[in-house]
Amino acid sequence: MPVVDIDPDELRQLTGTERDDDRLKDDLFGLGLEYEGETEDGDLQFEFAPDRLDRLSVEGVARSLRYHYGEDRGTYVPPTNDADWTIEVEDSVPDERPYVTGAVVRGIDLDEKGLDSLIQLQEKLHATMGRKRAKGAIGIHDLTMLKGESVSEEGGPSIRYTGVDPDGPRFVPLDSDAELTPAEVLEEHPTGREYADLVSEYERYPAIYDELGLFSFPPVINGRRTEVSTDSRELFVELTGTDQWTIDKMCAIVCYALSARGATIEEVEVEYPDRTLLRPDFEIREKRVSHERIEGMLGMEFDPETVIDCFERAGLSATQVLGEETAYDVEVPPYRVDVLHPVDLIDDVGRAYGFDGLIPKYPEVSTVGARHERTRLEDAARNVLVGLGFEDTLNFHLINEAENYERLRVTPGEGVLGAGDPATIREPYSEDYTMVRTWALPSLVMVLENNTHRSYPQNLAEVGFAAELDDSTETGVRERRTVAGVLARTDASYEDAKGVLQALARNFEVDLETPPTEHPTFIDGRAASVVIDGQPAGVVGEIHPEVLVEHDLELPVAAFEFRLDTLE
Amino acid sequence: MRLAPTQAAVLEAASATEDRTIERLAEELGEKPETVTGAVFALEEEGLLDVSEEEIEGVSLTEEGETYVEMGLPERRLYETALELDADEEPVSMGEVIGRSGLEGSEVDIALSNYARKGYGEIDSGELSATAGREEDEEADALALIAAEEPVTDESVLDDLTRRDLVARRESTVRSVTVTEEGVTALMEGIEESETVGQITPELLTTGEWEAVEFAEYNVEADAAEVVGGKKHVLRQTADRVKDVLVGMGFEEMDGPHVDSEFWINDALFMPQDHPARTHWDQFALEKPEEMDNLPEDLLDRVRSAHLEGVGEDGEGYHSPWTEEVARGMDLRGHTTSLSMRYLSGEAVGDLEPPQRYFSVEKVYRNDTLDPTHLLEFFQIEGWVMAEDLSVRDLKGTFTEFYERFGITDLQFKPHYNPYTEPSFELFGHHPETGELIEIGNSGMFRPEVLEPLGVECDVMAWGLALERLAMLITGAEDIRDLHGTLADIEFLRNAEVIY
C-alpha cells in the first residue's frame, strides 16, 4: 500500500488548522490514512489504500482535511491561463509509447520542503498509476531553461516529442557531468540501468527536444540543463506513457498539488499529427446517483440535504434531480481517478456520514448451512486415522522435483503412484518450491527427516491434496485428495501399514485387496498395490533403505498412500 | 487384627518408647520410603501409630560447589600456585600466578576476590604476595563434609558458602512414629497379614476370591509413563471450529480448483490486468498447464466489457489493456474468491437464486517470503451472502456475529479500498489476550462490475481472512511455520492445546 511522508507543520499550514499532531493522526485515520511512524527528518508517515492517489502528497492530504473540516465544500477546479506553449508530437515517436501531455506552471515559490514534496509526489505516482513508469512517467523542468522552437504562425514556443536513434544525440543527464547518448545512459547511469528494461527493446527511444536539443529522455531521466531547484519560479511539466487518460490524470494530480502551493496553471497545446488537445485535462465528469440506492446500500434513510452535505464534504458538488425517483447529479473532479461507477460516490457519502454511525443488524434472510461432502469425507478419514494413533499433519502442496521424485527413487512418468507429470511454477523464486506435489508421501517422509531428534514411534498421516497434469479436465490438472500415512519405529513392518488399511476399509465398508506390486520407493517383495472395491487406488509397503538413508532415518518405516475418493 | 503386610511390618518395626524416623524404618524393612509413608498414614488413621513431624534444614552442594570439591576452591588453587612461585618470600606478577594456576574465566575473579578476604596474602599493583603456612581452609573443609553427607556445625561458614552459591539450603520434613497404646494392644493380640493383590485377574473374579483379598495401594499421585496418541492437526481443528460457526450461521461450503485460470482468479473479480498484484511477484503463475481454453464465451465477453467499458449508464472501465490471452493464463489461486466467482456465475452448481450464503476454508498461494507470519500457502476463510437489498449494516451485523464467536467483541470497520468491492472495510479487533489492535479481515460489497457480468442482479457482500491469523490468535503461536508445513515440529503438534 502507498505511504505518504508528511511534515505536520506544512500540513497545518496548507490545511489552515492549529490542531496538534495527535488530533491530525486521528482525523487522518478517519479518512483512511493510517499512521505508520516517523521518518528520520521528523515527517509523519501514513499508509493508505491505493484508490485516492491524489493523497500521495501533503497538498492532497491537506485538501482532503479541509473538506473533512468543512473549510472547503464541493468540487473545485483550479483556474487556468490560456496556452502559450505547444508540445508537438512527431511521427517518429515510438509506437510503444505514443502519448504525451503536460502543463506550464508559473509563479511557484518552492522551499526545500516544497521541492521534496513535489519529488515525492512524482515518485509515488510513478510507483502506482504509472506502473513503475511503464504506463506513465512525469518529467518536471525549469521553464526558464527551455528555449522554445517557434512552429506556429502566432509564434508560441514549442517543444517536440520525438523518437531518436539510441546511439544518436548526446545530452548531460541528471546527476552526471558526462554527455551521453540514450543508449549510454541505459548502460552507464544508475537511473538509466534501473529503467533500461522499459525502452531497451524499442527501435527508437522517446525524447523531448527544445531548440537547444534533447532535454528529456522519458521515461528514464531528464537532462541536467532543465533541473528544478528551489530557485525555479516557472515549471514545464511533461508526461509520456502508454495511455492518454492515465498520464492526463497523473498530470492533473501534479497540477492540483502545485496550485495548492499558490502556482498558476497555464494550458499547453498537445499537437498530435491528427488532432490537438488542450492540457491539463481538468474536465469534470458527471455521474447520476439514485437516492434509493444510497439508502439501500447504507441501510438507512437520509433526507436529501444530508446527502448533498455529505457529497460536498467529500469534495463533490451535487445537485438534486427531481423526477419520479430522487437522484443526484454529482460532479467528479479530475483528480478522482478512483471513481468508475456511481457506487464509488455512495461510498463517499458513507465515509462523509461516517460508517461508524451505521448500526449493525443481522440480515433478515434465512438460508440452510451445510458442509461440502468432500470435506466431510476428508474429515471422516482423518478421524479414523487419529483414532488409530496417527498424528495428523498438514504439509505444503508446493515442493520441488528432487523431493517429490528423486529422493523417493521415483522417475517421473514411470507409471507408479507419485510419478505423474506436475503442474510447475513459472520463474519460481525458491528452488524449494517449484511444483505442486503429485503425492503426499514425500511430505511425510520430510517431516520424519526433520524430526529425527523427537521420540519414536512417529506415526504420521495426512489427508491432503495432490495434483498432476491431465488434459481431460477443465483446468488441465487433475486435483485429488489423497490419504497417506507413515509408521516409523524400531519394529515397523509391512503388516503394520496393512493393518491400518484394513481398519480404514472396515470403517468405510469397502473391500481391500493388496496384490504384490513393484514401486521404487518400497522394498521389492514388501510392496503391494492398494486395490479398493476392485479399483487400483494406491500403494502400501516398507520404505526402501536407500530412501531411509537419504532422509537420515535410522529405523524402518512402513507407509501407504491411496486416493480418498475410493472410500466413498 | 488383619493388616496389609507392609503395615504389619511397619507396626512391628516401630517402637512405643522411642521416636523412629520413616527413613530408618524404611531402611530396616528394605522398603521404599514412600511405601512406608503410605503404611504409616494408614496406621495413624487406624489409631495404631502416632506421627510427629519436624522441619529440618538440610544443605546440599550446587553444581559449582561440586566442581570445587573436585578441583579445589579457586582462591585455594591461586594460593597454592603462589606458594610454588615463592610468593611468600617476594611478591610475584599476578599474570604469572594466574597463568600457571590454570584458573579460567570467572574463576579468576572469584579467586582474586576471596584471596584477600581470607588473608592468603595481598594484591597490589599487579603483584601478588602470599602469607606462608595457611594449610587450612574452613570453606573447603565444609564443602568436603557436605559432600560426604556429614554435618557442618559452623553456621557462619555455611552462610558464606550460601552467599557464594556453592551450597543450597532446603527445608525438609522428617516424620517420626511411635506406637500408640492401641497399637501395643494390637501387637500383643497378634497381627495377621492379609493377602494383598497387585492385579485383578480373571481367576480372582470368577472364584470370588477377590472378596478376601486386599488390594495393594498405589502411589496414585506419581506420574505415569507418557502416552502419545494421535491428534487432529491444530489448524484443522481451528478450521473445524470456523466451519461449525459458519454452518450454524446458515452458510454452505464451496469446493473448487486450486489451479485455475487468471480469468476466474482475477478478471472476474474486476482486477485490472496491469494491477501490481497480478504480476508474478505476488502470485504463482504456472508454466504447466499453460492456459485454459474452455472459458465460458459469453461470460468472457461480459467481463472484458466490464474492464474496458464499465457497467451501467454512468460506469467507466479501466484505462488498462485487457487481453483474452492473459485471462487464459494459469495460476495457483491467490485467493478462494475464484470459488465465489464460479459459484456466483452458476458454473459451479447452477444458477443461484437469492438468498444464499456460501463459505470455504481452503488453501491459497502467494509468492511471498517465508517468515514467522507469512507462508507461501495458507488457508483463507472466504464467505459471502447474496440477497436482495443488502446494506453495509447487514455486512457489519454478519461479521460482528461471526467474530463474537471467537471472543472478538469490539469489531471495528475501517473504510478501505479493494478493486472488487465498494464500499470496502478492513476489519480490526483487539487480541483477546494481548489487547493489541490487529487486522483480522477484509470485507465489502461486490461491485456492479463484478456482479453484472456474472448475471447476479441482487447484492452480494463478502469477506476474507487468513485462518492461520485466527489460529495464532487463538493458540498464541508465534511462528506460523511450527503449525504448517514439513518443518513442523512433531513435539509442537503433540503438545498443542486442543481447540473447541
Side-chain angles (χ1 to χ4, degrees), chain A residues 87-99:
Chain A
I87 303 173
E88 198 195 334
V89 186
E90 300 198 329
D91 284 330
S92 60
V93 163
D95 292 341
E96 298 91 338
R97 203 172 182 86
Y99 300 107

Side-chain angles (χ1 to χ4, degrees), chain A residues 426 470-477 479, chain B residues 256-265 267-268 286-297 299-300 322-332 338 341-342 345 347:
Chain A
R426 195 195 308 158
D470 182 344
D471 285 343
S472 68
T473 67
E474 184 202 1
T475 59
V477 169
E479 300 181 2
Chain B
H258 292 233
V259 172
D260 211 342
S261 58
E262 287 259 1
F263 177 77
W264 288 112
I265 299 170
D267 292 293
L286 294 180
E287 193 166 67
K288 281 187 201 165
E290 222 171 336
E291 60 167 31
M292 188 153 138
D293 51 15
N294 44 6
L295 295 172
E297 282 299 328
L299 184 54
L300 191 74
W322 197 94
T323 68
E324 210 176 296
E325 194 190 341
V326 172
R328 291 189 189 287
M330 298 301 287
D331 278 343
L332 281 166
S338 55
M341 295 299 107
R342 284 174 168 271
S345 71
E347 282 288 315

Side-chain angles (χ1 to χ4, degrees), chain B residues 354-405:
Chain B
Q356 300 286 347
R357 287 185 174 90
Y358 271 94
F359 82 98
S360 62
V361 184
E362 292 286 328
K363 213 170 229 191
V364 298
Y365 307 81
R366 301 263 170 99
N367 210 354
D368 220 325
T369 311
L370 272 173
D371 69 30
T373 55
H374 289 93
L375 294 174
L376 304 186
E377 321 175 3
F378 58 94
F379 283 85
Q380 184 185 338
I381 306 170
E382 162 106 4
W384 49 268
V385 182
M386 170 205 242
E388 306 288 354
D389 303 323
L390 286 172
S391 73
V392 170
R393 293 181 55 200
D394 295 307
L395 179 149
K396 291 176 77 170
T398 299
F399 303 144
T400 302
E401 190 69 35
F402 174 78
Y403 285 99
E404 273 183 5
R405 307 286 153 191

Side-chain angles (χ1 to χ4, degrees), chain A residues 289-303 307 325-326 328 342-343 346-347 349-350 355 358-359 361 363, chain B residues 387-396 422-423 425 445-446 458-461:
Chain A
V289 190
S290 103
H291 185 78
E292 194 190 342
R293 195 67 192 126
I294 294 172
E295 290 188 332
M297 188 131 265
L298 301 182
M300 62 183 282
E301 289 181 9
F302 291 97
D303 50 44
V307 174
E325 68 164 29
T326 309
Y328 308 89
V343 71
I346 299 178
D347 181 56
V349 173
F355 283 114
L358 305 179
I359 318 272
K361 75 175 179 58
Chain B
E388 306 288 354
D389 303 323
L390 286 172
S391 73
V392 170
R393 293 181 55 200
D394 295 307
L395 179 149
K396 291 176 77 170
E422 184 81 323
F425 302 94
M445 318 282 289
F446 275 131
C458 57
D459 295 328
V460 179
M461 62 193 203

